[in-house]
Amino acid sequence: MKVKHILAIFIAGLICTVLGAMFKILHWQFAPELLSGGTFLQLIAGILGIWKIYTTEEFKKFLNK
């Protein structure tokens, strides 16, 4: 998976989280679902980002210096 895809997932999660917070402030429906979904997307993007960094060859060379 490319880094731009991971960033797209993270940005989508960030947008969902911000919309969920706005819905929560305005007492609209589906606020908890948006907050949970956005947080879940951000978590997945974070795990994928860590996995991408860990499996990169240059990162392994950097750690062995």
Side-chain angles (χ1 to χ4, degrees):
M1 180 173 274
K2 294 185 178 184
V3 175
K4 65 180 179 179
H5 297 129
I6 296 171
L7 284 175
I9 294 171
F10 182 77
I11 290 172
L14 187 65
I15 290 170
C16 285
T17 303
V18 169
L19 282 175
M22 185 184 73
F23 277 35
K24 192 79 166 173
I25 291 169
L26 296 173
H27 303 288
W28 288 355
Q29 292 180 347
F30 305 113
E33 290 84 2
L34 279 171
L35 284 170
S36 298
T39 304
F40 180 72
L41 284 175
Q42 287 178 338
L43 177 69
I44 294 298
I47 291 170
L48 289 173
I50 290 170
W51 181 263
K52 180 72 172 179
I53 289 171
Y54 183 71
T55 58
T56 303
E57 185 64 33
E58 291 84 21
F59 182 72
K60 290 180 184 177
K61 289 180 184 176
F62 174 74
L63 287 178
N64 288 330
K65 286 185 180 181

